[in-house]
């Protein structure tokens, strides 16, 4: 039997102020907002990518506003989360590294997986921690490795969105340095599946390689979630032996776009489920080269 955590209560003094903070500044989705009587009101909000929501309320729980402690969010890149908090105007601790002797400010050379944090509080004083986890257990004896890469694009989110939704744009950046994309057949809708081709340079054999992207969530121009499969030219899944070691048959991707200063867009791409750190790092290198090309596409 599965036991799924659904809602965590967060007591506040002013539901409108809490909604402005969690939805307006942090980007949580407002699922519902209900007033029961003149004393009792609650709103449910869900962090992006989370299966669990929070309930901000007055008159609902026997807790003083601001009394909630130990709330924790998990991200693949805590430095990117810190930048988002700063841009949203949320006071925070800065990125810190946790160790046996306590926490210290992070430095550029620190490995942050599992030990990197940034902390903040809501307007009532309810305390949150954001932790970087890019490797976690996926079952007995199993560990998966995740990654996240962020780029700043010289285009507003509505234009940067085309890099993921329009086939002509996709073909201009898909594939690492030296690779090209001769085709991108887009079916950009929830439940749809796009088929994209990547062609290796002649010195690497010149072969065509195909991936399909099956969309789980599309929220223009903010968020895309899709599952990448390794397929043939007809979109049929490849057999296990054709997939690199440590790479799952299905690679979950989450793409987020946030407005940045000067009309630009902060783009973050996260990938989940690699079986080895080596496979994750190889994929990260390829993704970084793809996004370098995307930066060039939108360079002013």
């Amino acid at each position: 039997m599965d036991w799924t955590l659904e809602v965590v209560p967060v007591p506040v003094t002013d539901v409108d102020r809490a909604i402005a903070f969690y939805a307006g500044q942090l980007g949580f989705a407002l699922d519902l907002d209900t007033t029961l009587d003149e004393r009792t009101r609650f709103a449910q909000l869900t962090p992006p990518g989370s299966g669990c929501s929070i309930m901000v309320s007055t008159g609902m729980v026997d807790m003083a506003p601001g009394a909630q402690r130990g709330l924790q969010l998990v991200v693949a890149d805590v430095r990117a989360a810190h930048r988002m908090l700063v841009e949203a105007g949320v006071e925070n601790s800065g990125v810190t590294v946790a160790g046996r002797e306590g926490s210290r400010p992070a430095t550029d050379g620190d490995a942050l997986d599992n030990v990197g944090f940034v902390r903040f509080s809501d307007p009532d004083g309810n305390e949150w921690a954001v932790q970087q986890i890019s490797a976690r257990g996926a079952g007995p004896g199993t560990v998966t490795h995740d990654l996240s890469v962020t780029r700043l694009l010289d285009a507003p989110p509505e234009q940067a969105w085309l890099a993921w939704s329009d086939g002509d744009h996709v073909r201009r950046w898909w594939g690492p340095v030296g690779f090209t994309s001769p085709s991108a057949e887009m079916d950009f809708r929830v439940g749809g599946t796009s088929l994209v081709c990547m062609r290796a340079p002649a010195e690497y054999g010149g072969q065509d390689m195909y991936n399909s992207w099956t969309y789980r969530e599309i929220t223009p121009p903010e968020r895309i979630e899709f599952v990448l499969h390794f397929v043939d030219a007809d979109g049929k899944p490849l057999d296990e032996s054709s997939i690199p070691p440590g790479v799952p048959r299905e690679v979950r991707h989450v793409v987020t776009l946030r407005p940045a200063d000067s009309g630009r867009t902060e783009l973050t791409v996260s990938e989940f489920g690699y079986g080895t750190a080596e496979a994750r790092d190889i994929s990260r290198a390829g993704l970084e080269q793809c996004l370098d090309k995307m930066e060039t596409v939108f360079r002013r």
Side-chain angles (χ1 to χ4, degrees):
M1 176 186 296
D2 291 335
W3 296 66
T4 303
L5 183 64
E6 184 68 19
V7 179
V8 174
V10 178
V12 300
T13 54
D14 185 326
V15 172
D16 285 324
R17 184 176 68 171
I19 291 173
F21 177 75
Y22 286 106
Q25 291 181 259
L26 297 185
F28 287 22
L30 178 60
D31 303 317
L32 58 89
D33 181 0
T34 302
T35 299
L36 300 181
D37 54 47
E38 61 181 15
R39 289 187 60 255
T40 310
R41 178 184 173 192
F42 67 93
Q44 186 167 320
L45 303 103
T46 304
S50 175
C52 182
S53 304
I54 64 169
M55 180 182 71
V56 296
S57 65
T58 54
M60 288 287 293
V61 295
D62 189 19
M63 294 175 64
Q68 190 63 274
R69 299 289 184 271
L71 296 166
Q72 187 155 323
L73 299 165
V74 169
V75 296
D77 185 341
V78 73
R79 295 190 191 277
H82 173 247
R83 289 194 295 271
M84 292 169 64
L85 290 172
V86 171
E87 290 175 3
V90 177
E91 292 187 9
N92 63 84
S93 65
V95 179
T96 62
V97 176
R100 293 182 179 179
E101 299 179 357
S103 296
R104 61 168 175 80
T107 62
D108 289 342
D110 284 328
L112 298 176
D113 288 354
N114 303 302
V115 296
F117 289 85
V118 59
R119 293 175 169 82
F120 66 91
S121 298
D122 73 7
D124 284 283
N126 296 295
E127 295 180 355
W128 291 83
V130 183
Q131 181 183 13
Q132 176 171 316
I133 297 181
S134 61
R136 66 167 68 239
T142 302
V143 172
T144 63
H145 301 263
D146 308 329
L147 66 91
S148 185
V149 177
T150 298
R151 289 289 187 273
L152 197 60
L153 305 179
D154 284 331
E158 293 78 10
Q159 185 178 349
W161 185 259
L162 295 173
W164 298 92
S165 60
D166 177 77
D168 288 339
H169 279 73
V170 171
R171 289 192 295 106
R172 296 172 66 185
W173 65 266
W174 180 245
V177 173
F179 287 69
T180 58
S181 178
S183 65
E185 301 172 12
M186 306 301 291
D187 185 12
F188 189 67
R189 59 186 176 85
V190 174
T193 298
S194 296
L195 180 65
V196 294
C197 177
M198 179 173 62
R199 179 169 294 167
E203 58 267 31
Y204 293 150
Q207 70 273 22
D208 287 346
M209 294 160 280
Y210 293 86
N211 296 116
S212 65
W213 301 348
T214 300
Y215 303 99
R216 292 178 173 176
E217 178 185 344
I218 296 176
T219 305
E222 300 173 357
R223 177 183 168 91
I224 305 166
E225 180 176 343
F226 65 89
V227 176
L228 179 148
H229 296 85
F230 297 86
V231 298
D232 63 18
D234 297 319
K236 296 179 180 178
L238 299 180
D239 59 59
E240 198 77 37
S241 63
S242 301
I243 300 174
V247 178
R249 294 187 65 88
E250 299 183 348
V251 184
R252 175 173 168 251
H253 284 61
V254 174
V255 178
T256 58
L257 300 94
R258 291 175 58 90
D261 59 355
S262 303
R264 296 181 294 177
T265 297
E266 182 183 81
L267 168 74
T268 299
V269 183
S270 301
E271 301 179 6
F272 303 87
Y274 290 96
T276 65
E278 181 182 11
R280 177 200 62 198
D281 292 344
I282 291 172
S283 184
R284 181 195 298 275
L287 176 60
E288 288 179 341
Q289 292 183 33
C290 288
L291 298 188
D292 287 344
K293 291 166 67 175
M294 186 187 293
E295 278 189 303
T296 301
V297 169
F298 289 108
R299 189 162 295 154
R300 294 170 180 169

